[in-house]
Each structure stands twice: as structure tokens, then as C-alpha cells.
């Protein structure tokens, strides 16, 4: 938690990963983020993984540091409250993040009619408004066919919803950028961020599409070989798998030195008439000749023998380890100042992270847990919409809020 | 291209994916982004994929809409110029994005001594400053062991550098947020974004770590099964692979209807005494019983028979297709207004994307290509550092710039 965005009020009407991470990033940099949900929870309220009592560890991970208000969104009065929240007054308000449909009661046109300078950032599936989620968009881009061992033709989906995550962060960036622009010109804007466009653009930004246009086909699947440079997993004498990477000349020479294979590689260079140090692409082209040298060097030693030499020699490497080992790894979790043990709505206390970046000169404020569903209903109705206690009581009595 | 960030000047000293995408996102929302590189190019200047003439399609994808200045960063005078650029005056300047080392000549302390209110966003590998890249950090988090078919124990790396991409977008968000804060308090800041922290925090935000703390072990690998809900790839009679997803009750009922298996599923529900519609987790728990019903329904029809019914019925699905098919897909590339054919530094003309999000009310400005290396050297020295033509000529003569 930092206070860079102190004073901003963002309203979030969201579910799943992309829009909630957008709100999470804003909240953990100091914005007040108010998430509204249907009474009983939105479609992501019971998503796995679950605690033993049925609480969603996923939901409480993605909604840390937010406020929660529960509305009956099936009824006109509940929908009216959602619109009122998104468009409530305030210089640093009128900021709405959502993945609700383009044309529904949270359409930009309807909201703009209530607040002309509204900034509305909308996560979508496909750009045309049709249903799309991370895994279906990803399948359409060829990546599952490029992923996994070369000897197995089955498509391999990613486990990490990368498009959702990228979309969430990009939406946070777009929202703050639109706020800067509004400060300059007074104009609100709708910003639509379809997963399909984020994914299509990214495949082009990384050169995948230009390559396919040139060659007529996508990159073949090649296991864990790093494309166009030198990198792969190798197995040590004691069966550990280590990822080794050498893109720059320095990374390359350090890897050869630490493995003690510089002379073997020099002999291969002489035979082939190439310089691997000067051109990472040649290391990739000739990787079938290089791999046996590396495989032998890895197989000759245990991980405990190799890895201190790697670290001392400045090699770019990483051990494959399961998440339970990562949790004991001081670099990732055990001693990471991003994390603090907090009491969560599930009733469980466990370490959770604040803002993902660090400002060394600033003190980290405490990590704030996710709200209980509806925890801030009364507070938000009073403070944001200026409702009286009697009005709020009526809404409760009639089941419009909870 | 949009003009949300018009007037901002960002200096970028970067390589690879994360820091360059940060600059790309800023540039395509209207900031002036000046990337400096070593004369002859940085460590990413020849990264694959390459055009036939050796130009990097990757580099020109990641540096669109930027200006380029080439400096001899091995000499004190070149380093001094890099520092001067990063800290040049201007209300909307003093914004520096880099992945140079924490302690080198581009350290925050050195730059802050030249401009007190500098905002410096620094991409790092590991938070302690040690070497780490997307693939080595990813290996340490267990994801490669969770990815791929359950019957194959080999770790599967992702092909898409998800941590780099998320870090780039998050850095763009953090930079603009720090600019908002500077507008309020006048303070500069260093913001450090290590891939290791972004990745560790994300695994926690998504509930992976809490789950592992609860169960003692990470999620097992389960092929393309969507965790905790219903989703997987299925094969049609003609061998097409389709991804099907049903997280919400609506997605579930629509899938059953379109496949004509609602009665079979109801019979299974009766047998098991459960309601799959009400609880997506039960669909996951009992997926081994459900899959045969779906497999039969998919195998009974061709993709051409199934997919119109899916679309008409509002099913959440996607076909696996290679990138060459995606390029002909009107939703992704063929008719996508994000893309325009532009002439690139490689000499090739091909479609490239502008800003990844869309503002329906605003006109998209033309997509701007990447610069040639050093294309703006003279312009930047004159306009940003106020140098005379004679001074610039001397720097060229002495090989300090190119």
C-alpha cells in the first residue's frame, strides 16, 4: 500500500480477474475503490480455490483493500444505485471500472447522461461484445499449439490467465491516463479493453505476427527452448531441473565458464565457423549441437554443486520448484516485505501482498484485506450518495441492499 | 494512438520486454518517449524473430511510436548524456523508465542529485538485484509443473512472457500514478518493479499461495481442465479442437442446451444428488463423470455443425487455431481497427497495432512505426538538451553519439 492515488474514488462493477485486478492495483496505490456486487455475490464469489468453509481464496485475493457494497442488481432500484455510485460527484471521482456489457444498464451512454465527464474503463471479451474469456481468446491465437514438448501435438493452455492479468494492469494505466487528460481538457471518456484486442496487439508487439506473415506459419512448438537465443531446462546428476538462459554475450560466456565447457564450445565454433558469443541466434540455430555439451556438464554434478558456481559466476539460471518450495524461498515469500499476514474474510490468517512495486524511500502502509461482501454498504450509501440513516434502513428492509 | 498523455516526455533506457512495453504503452497513449541505446543497439537489438536482412521484428514491434537516440554508453560523456536526458527540465518531464542496474550510473541517487523530483520506474529481475528473467522467475513459482497434460511430468514453460508483459503494463500504471502524486506533493520517487515481486504477488492475488498454504502442496497439473469450474478442449467429429468454458450458471445451461445433453446431465445430477448449475465447483469435482457426455456430443458433429449452434446459443467457446488462421480472422486481425499497415525500419510493410484499448468517441491517430536506431539523435540533443549544431557535430565526430 502506498498513497500515490490518495483522494481518488473508483467504483468497480466487476467479476473474474481482469477488472478486479484493475481495481486491486488502484486500491493498493491508495485510491478508494468501491466494488459493488449483487446481493449474495457476483459470478466469481465462489470461485476456487476455496477455504474449508466455502469462502473463495481467489475472491479475497483479488479484492484486497476495496470497499464492498451489495445491491440487488436484478431490480430497477438496485441498478439505479449502481449508476448513482459510478457517477457520483467529486473532482477525483467519476471513475468506473467494469466488465458489465457495453449495452446494458451500465452502458457509457446511460452513465454519461448522469455525469458528463465520467471515465469508464470497460473490460470486454471480444471487441464485438461477444463472449470471450482468457482461455477461449488464447486458443484463437495459436499459443497453445506453440506450448509444450515438441513430441506431443496436444494443445497446452496456460495455467496463468496472462491476458486477464495484462488487461487488468493496462486498464489501471488507461484509467489514470484518462484522469490526467480530464484534468487537462475536462472531458470524460469510455475506454474499452477487449481481451481479444489486448492479446492480438501483444502478439504483434512481440513480433509473432510479423514472423508468421513472413514465413506463412506460426513458430513451431519447441518445448522449453527459448526462441532465438540459448535457454532450456537441464537436468543435474541428482535429477533437479534447472532453467538456464543466455541471451546476452555476457550471459553466454558466464554460463560456459561456470559449466567448464568453454573449450568444448570453442571447438564446436571452430568446426562450424561461427561465433556463438557474437550472435545469440546462432546458438539457437545450432542448439542441437550445443545441447549435448550442456547436458553432459549438468549431468556430471548435483544441483548443490552447480548452483553456488552459477551464483558466483553471475549465470542467469533458475531452479524449477513447486509453489510450496517457493513459499519457503526468502526471495519470493518468506522474507518478502511485500507480504504481511492478514486476517481475511474467509476467517483464515495468511500472508498477502500489498502494492506489487516498491518505493524504497516510502514506508509501506499495512496490507488491507478484502472486505466481507456488503461490509461497507451503509458507509458508502451515506458517504458517497449522502443518504440518511432512514433511507438506508428502508433499502435494507426492502432488500435492495444488503 | 490517442492523445491522453499529450505533453508528457518520458525517457527510456531499456532492453528486452518489460521496460520497452512500458514505454510503448505510454507512447501509444500520446507521450513523447525517447529511448536511448548504445551505439549499434542494446542487447535486444538483434533478438529474434528477424527479417531476412537481419532487422529484428521483435525490436520494431516493441518500440513503435518512440524516438531513438544512440549514445556510447561505455564512455563517461555518453553516460553523462543519458543522465542529462533522464533528468532534463520540464513540468511534464523527469519521467524515466529503465531496466538498468539499481547501482550503476543510472542509479536513482545519481539521477535525483540532478533532478530532485525525478520519477524513475525501474524494472528488475529479482528484488535483491540479482539476475532474473521471465523464464527463470517463472520456474521458481511452480507454474511449469502445473502446466501441460497430467500424463507427462516434464515442466512446461510458457511461450508468452507473461511476467514481463504484466510488469510492463504495471510500470506504465505506476509511472502515471507517480506523476499524479508529484502534481499533488511535488515529490519525485523511485519505483522498483522486480519481476519476482510482480510474480509472487500475482500468485497470491489469484489464491494460488493461500491454497498451497492450506493444502501443503501446489495444484496438480491437469492438462487443459479449467480449475474449479467446467472447461476443457474437446474434439469434434472432424478432428477440430474447441475450448469450451462454463463458469457461470448461464454459461453452463447454454452449453448443455447447444450440445443437446441437458437430459443426460440431469440424469447424472439425480444419480449423484448434486446440482451442477448451482455450483461450478461440483462440475469440476465430478468432471470425470461429465467429460464422457461432452466428448460424445462433440464427437457426433463436425465443427461446422457445432459452432453456429454455439454462437446462436451464446455458448462460451473458442476454436484452437494457429496464428496464420488468426491473421485471417476478422475479429483478431483482418478487420481490426487497431491495426494499420505501416512501413517499418526493417524495410517491411505490415499491419501493426496502436493503443491496445479503444476510445469509441475519439479518432484513432495513425499507428507510428519504431524509429531507426539513432533516428532522432540530433533532434533530441537539440530540443531536449538545447545543444547547438556545432556541439552536436562534435559529439558525432568524437563518436559519442550516432
Amino acid at each position: 500500500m502506498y498513497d500515490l492515488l490518495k483522494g481518488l474514488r473508483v467504483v468497480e462493477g466487476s467479476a473474474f480477474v481482469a477488472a478486479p485486478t484493475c481495481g486491486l492495483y488502484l486500491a493498493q496505490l491508495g485510491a478508494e475503490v468501491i466494488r459493488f456486487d449483487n446481493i449474495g455475490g457476483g459470478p466469481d464469489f465462489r470461485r476456487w480455490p476455496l477455504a474449508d468453509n466455502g469462502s473463495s481464496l481467489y475472491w479475497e485475493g483479488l479484492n484486497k483493500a476495496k470497499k464492498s457494497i451489495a445491491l440487488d442488481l436484478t431490480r430497477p432500484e438496485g441498478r439505479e444505485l449502481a449508476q448513482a455510485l459510478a457517477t457520483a460527484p467529486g473532482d477525483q471521482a467519476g471513475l468506473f471500472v467494469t466488465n458489465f456489457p457495453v449495452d446494458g444498464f451500465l452502458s457509457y451512454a446511460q452513465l454519461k447522461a448522469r455525469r458528463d465527464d465520467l471515465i469508464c474503463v470497460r473490460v470486454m471479451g471480444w471487441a464485438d461484445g461477444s463472449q470471450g474469456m482468457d482461455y477461449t481468446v488464447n486458443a484463437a491465437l495459436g499459443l497453445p499449439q506453440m506450448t509444450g514438448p515438441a513430441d506431443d501435438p496436444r494443445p497446452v493452455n496456460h495455467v496463468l490467465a496472462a491476458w486477464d492479468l495484462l488487461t487488468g494492469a493496462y486498464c489501471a494505466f488507461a484509467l489514470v491516463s484518462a484522469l490526467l487528460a480530464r484534468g487537462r481538457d475536462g472531458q470524460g471518456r469510455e475506454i474499452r479493453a477487449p481481451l481479444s484486442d489486448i492479446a492480438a496487439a501483444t502478439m504483434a508487439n512481440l513480433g509473432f505476427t510479423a514472423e508468421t506473415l513472413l514465413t506463412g506459419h506460426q513458430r513451431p512448438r519447441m518445448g522449453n527452448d527459448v526462441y532465438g537465443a540459448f535457454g532450456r531446462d537441464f537436468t543435474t546428476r541428482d535429477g533437479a531441473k534447472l532453467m538456464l538462459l543466455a541471451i546476452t554475450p555476457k550471459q553466454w560466456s558466464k554460463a560456459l565458464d561456470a559449466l567448464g565447457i568453454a573449450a568444448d564450445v570453442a571447438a564446436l565454433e571452430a568446426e562450424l565457423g561461427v561465433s556463438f558469443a557474437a550472435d545469440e541466434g546462432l546458438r539457437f540455430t545450432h542448439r542441437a549441437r550445443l545441447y549435448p555439451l550442456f547436458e553432459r556438464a549438468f549431468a556430471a554434478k548435483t544441483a548443490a554443486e552447480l548452483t553456488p558456481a552459477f551464483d558466483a559466476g553471475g549465470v542467469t539460471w533458475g531452479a524449477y520448484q513447486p509453489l510450496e518450495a517457493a513459499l519457503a524461498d526468502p526471495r519470493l515469500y518468506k522474507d518478502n516485505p511485500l507480504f504481511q499476514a492478514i486476517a481475511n474474510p474467509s476467517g483464515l490468517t495468511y500472508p498477502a501482498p500489498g502494492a506489487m512495486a516498491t518505493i524504497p524511500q516510502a514506508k509501506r502502509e499495512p496490507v488491507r484485506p478484502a472486505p466481507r461482501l456488503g461490509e461497507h454498504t451503509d458507509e458508502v450509501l451515506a458517504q458517497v450518495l449522502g443518504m440518511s440513516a432512514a433511507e438506508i434502513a428502508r433499502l435494507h428492509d426492502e432488500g435492495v441492499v444488503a
Side-chain angles (χ1 to χ4, degrees), chain A:
Chain A
M1 295 288 304
Y2 293 109
D3 67 354
L4 299 185
L5 300 178
K6 192 168 63 182
L8 263 57
R9 189 175 66 230
V10 178
V11 173
E12 178 190 317
S14 76
F16 303 118
V17 176
T21 51
C22 175
L24 174 67
Y25 301 152
L26 291 161
Q28 292 195 321
L29 287 193
E32 177 189 19
V33 176
I34 300 167
R35 174 169 167 160
F36 66 77
D37 276 288
N38 219 338
I39 294 174
D44 57 347
F45 190 59
R46 295 287 172 194
R47 276 217 81 187
W48 285 32
L50 305 178
D52 293 340
N53 64 5
S55 293
S56 170
L57 302 172
Y58 161 101
W59 197 93
E60 72 185 19
L62 291 169
N63 294 296
K64 290 188 292 288
K66 299 179 190 174
K67 294 181 178 175
S68 168
I69 173 169
L71 307 171
D72 185 347
L73 295 174
T74 67
R75 288 159 64 182
E77 200 172 355
R79 294 181 169 210
E80 152 72 26
L81 287 172
Q83 293 176 335
L85 283 173
T87 58
D91 240 25
Q92 303 293 300
L95 304 169
F96 182 49
V97 175
T98 192
N99 63 329
F100 271 75
V102 164
D103 292 326
F105 72 99
L106 295 168
S107 74
Y108 180 63
Q110 287 205 43
L111 297 175
K112 186 179 162 66
R114 301 179 68 125
R115 177 166 178 158
D116 189 60
D117 70 348
L118 177 75
I119 293 169
C120 172
V121 175
R122 192 180 306 272
V123 171
M124 300 171 65
W126 289 93
D128 65 6
S130 62
Q131 288 251 22
M133 300 188 86
D134 183 289
Y135 297 108
T136 59
V137 168
N138 194 51
L141 283 158
L143 282 166
Q145 298 170 353
M146 299 184 220
T147 304
D151 57 18
D152 186 338
R154 290 174 287 182
V156 175
N157 288 4
H158 54 202
V159 167
L160 186 75
W163 300 124
D164 278 334
L165 293 166
L166 176 58
T167 300
Y170 190 81
C171 283
F173 161 61
L175 181 139
V176 180
S177 299
L179 180 62
L180 272 179
R182 188 174 78 179
R184 206 173 61 226
D185 64 17
Q187 301 294 310
R189 283 162 180 93
E190 182 183 24
I191 299 176
R192 296 185 183 177
L195 297 182
S196 61
D197 280 347
I198 303 272
T202 299
M203 294 298 282
N205 292 339
L206 293 169
F208 281 91
T209 57
E211 175 183 38
T212 298
L213 287 166
L214 259 187
T215 63
H217 54 80
Q218 73 177 16
R219 200 174 291 180
R221 72 161 65 189
M222 49 185 77
N224 292 341
D225 296 4
V226 172
Y227 182 67
F230 190 87
R232 212 196 77 186
D233 57 308
F234 292 96
T235 306
T236 64
R237 195 175 74 205
D238 52 337
K241 289 203 181 288
L242 307 180
M243 179 74 201
L244 179 75
L245 208 61
I247 297 175
T248 66
K250 203 194 270 182
Q251 288 173 333
W252 177 247
S253 65
K254 286 181 169 180
L256 301 187
D257 289 346
L259 288 164
I261 56 173
D264 298 327
V265 170
L268 181 61
E269 284 177 312
E271 179 199 329
L272 298 169
V274 301
S275 164
F276 291 129
D279 184 341
E280 72 260 31
L282 289 172
R283 291 174 226 148
F284 179 74
T285 308
H286 295 288
R287 66 195 190 282
R289 296 295 305 278
L290 285 164
Y291 285 159
L293 306 178
F294 284 78
E295 286 164 356
R296 258 199 310 275
F298 274 89
K301 297 199 175 162
T302 63
E305 290 164 348
L306 273 173
T307 58
F310 283 179
D311 280 338
V315 175
T316 305
W317 71 282
Y320 288 82
Q321 63 183 6
L323 190 52
E324 55 269 30
L327 288 169
D329 186 333
R331 301 171 306 170
L332 285 166
Y333 291 103
K334 197 164 159 286
D335 298 336
N336 190 335
L338 260 67
F339 286 77
Q340 291 169 19
I342 56 170
N344 295 284
S346 60
L348 299 172
T349 295
Y350 56 81
M356 302 203 292
T358 294
I359 303 174
Q361 298 79 25
K363 194 170 164 303
R364 276 190 175 269
E365 293 172 35
V367 177
R368 294 213 312 267
R372 285 176 290 101
L373 193 69
E375 179 173 343
H376 305 92
T377 293
D378 293 6
E379 174 190 323
V380 168
L381 292 174
Q383 290 182 3
V384 179
L385 299 184
M387 287 189 173
S388 67
E391 283 175 292
I392 295 170
R394 182 189 64 81
L395 291 171
H396 276 286
D397 289 346
E398 296 180 4
V400 178
V401 306

